[in-house]
């Protein structure tokens, strides 16, 4: 390797390391902000009568006949989505068959690796490993910049790593992701996470107790109490 090649290689390493450090710092700040807001009441949710279009664009739907449906627009590089993933998991365990959960891809344009995370999840879905893939991407979110398809496949229990790698390079797998973006834009989704609970829109990282309260209210046949005045104007 020539001196110039060595210099270029070293420069690339420094640049990549700097980007990774910056991404981790930004993620850390967003997570600290999310944690500091966990005791704060979120903005009142607003009802959107068109919310069911999001369900049709979901990559996964559990308990579709449940009385209450929670739809999350998510981005796999979003630190607050990582925290919200744990919140929604807790709600799924608490309500079981009484709650339907739908996940919709909405990779943000300013997140360089969000689409890669979505691709990994979509390809894992083909092997029946979607929940494991979602957990894995969020668990190692900051490592998306150093993503290894083979290692990821093995980690989530996909034996056909060659087929998984081929899936990642297949542009036809964009459909589920692009459908999510289209549905989100139609509903004026601006950021992630954005959550709809039977049509009541919550923005950002919402503490578990407020989502749980809304689900309880809707199971009892009434609008979420946190909606306040907005509930009175519901169509």
């Amino acid at each position: 390797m020539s001196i110039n090649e060595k210099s270029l290689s070293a420069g690339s390493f420094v640049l990549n390391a700097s980007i990774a450090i910056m991404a981790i710092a930004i993620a850390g700040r967003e997570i600290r902000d999310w944690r500091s807001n966990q005791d704060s009441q979120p903005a009142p949710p607003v009802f959107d009568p068109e919310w069911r279009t999001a369900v049709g664009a979901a990559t996964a739907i559990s308990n579709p006949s449940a009385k209450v449906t929670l739809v999350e627009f998510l981005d796999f590089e979003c630190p607050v989505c990582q925290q919200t993933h744990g919140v929604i998991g807790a709600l799924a365990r608490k309500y079981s068959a009484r709650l339907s959960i739908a996940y919709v891809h909405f990779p943000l344009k300013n997140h360089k690796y969000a689409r890669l995370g979505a691709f990994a999840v979509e390809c894992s879905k083909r092997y029946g490993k979607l929940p494991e893939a979602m957990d894995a991407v969020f668990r190692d979110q900051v490592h998306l910049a150093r993503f290894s398809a083979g290692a990821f496949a093995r980690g989530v229990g996909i034996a056909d790593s060659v087929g998984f790698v081929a899936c990642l390079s297949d542009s036809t797998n964009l459909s589920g992701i692009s459908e999510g973006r289209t549905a989100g834009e139609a509903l004026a989704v601006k950021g992630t996470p954005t959550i709809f609970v039977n049509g009541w829109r919550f923005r950002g990282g919402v503490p578990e107790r407020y989502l749980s309260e809304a689900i309880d209210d809707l199971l009892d046949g009434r609008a979420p109490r946190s909606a306040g005045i907005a509930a009175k104007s519901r169509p």
Side-chain angles (χ1 to χ4, degrees):
M1 182 182 290
S2 68
I3 293 175
N4 286 339
E5 288 174 328
K6 288 181 179 179
S7 298
L8 287 172
S9 178
S12 297
F13 174 80
V14 171
L15 177 61
N16 289 335
S18 298
I19 292 172
I21 291 170
M22 185 180 299
I24 292 171
I26 293 172
R29 184 184 64 210
E30 292 186 13
I31 290 172
R32 286 194 299 273
D33 291 344
W34 179 86
R35 286 174 176 166
S36 68
N37 289 330
Q38 286 307 285
D39 292 327
S40 302
Q41 183 169 347
V46 177
F47 185 77
D48 190 324
E50 304 299 324
W51 71 276
R52 291 189 184 278
T53 60
V55 178
T59 188
I61 306 171
S62 65
N63 309 317
S65 61
K67 185 176 179 179
V68 176
T69 298
L70 183 155
V71 181
E72 181 194 10
F73 283 87
L74 53 78
D75 170 302
F76 285 103
E77 197 179 341
C78 161
V80 180
C81 291
Q82 180 189 53
Q83 302 298 320
T84 300
H85 187 61
V87 168
I88 292 177
L91 293 172
R93 291 187 293 273
K94 177 179 180 179
Y95 292 98
S96 189
R98 294 182 295 159
L99 177 66
S100 176
I101 296 174
Y103 295 105
V104 184
H105 291 299
F106 197 77
L108 300 176
K109 295 177 182 178
N110 61 322
H111 281 169
K112 183 177 180 180
Y113 302 104
R115 285 165 64 86
L116 173 60
F119 258 60
V121 167
E122 284 298 295
C123 290
S124 298
K125 180 181 176 180
R126 292 189 173 191
Y127 294 91
K129 297 293 184 181
L130 186 143
E132 293 86 349
M134 290 184 67
D135 289 345
V137 172
F138 278 129
R139 183 171 57 249
D140 298 322
Q141 190 179 49
V142 295
H143 297 145
L144 280 172
R146 301 191 299 274
F147 183 81
S148 168
F152 183 87
R154 291 189 295 272
V156 299
I158 298 173
D160 180 17
S161 59
V162 174
F164 180 78
V165 172
C167 179
L168 288 176
S169 62
D170 185 353
S171 62
T172 62
N173 296 316
L174 280 168
S175 59
I177 301 168
S178 60
E179 286 174 9
R181 285 283 319 180
T182 300
E185 289 168 359
L187 291 168
V189 171
K190 301 299 183 184
T192 57
T194 293
I195 294 172
F196 292 85
V197 185
N198 273 18
W200 292 95
R201 182 197 302 252
F202 292 84
R203 291 184 174 88
V206 182
E208 180 183 339
R209 61 194 178 105
Y210 290 105
L211 290 174
S212 183
E213 181 183 86
I215 293 167
D216 288 338
D217 289 338
L218 290 161
L219 285 171
D220 287 339
R222 59 178 181 268
R225 70 197 78 171
S226 58
I229 296 174
K232 297 178 183 179
S233 62
R234 174 183 167 175

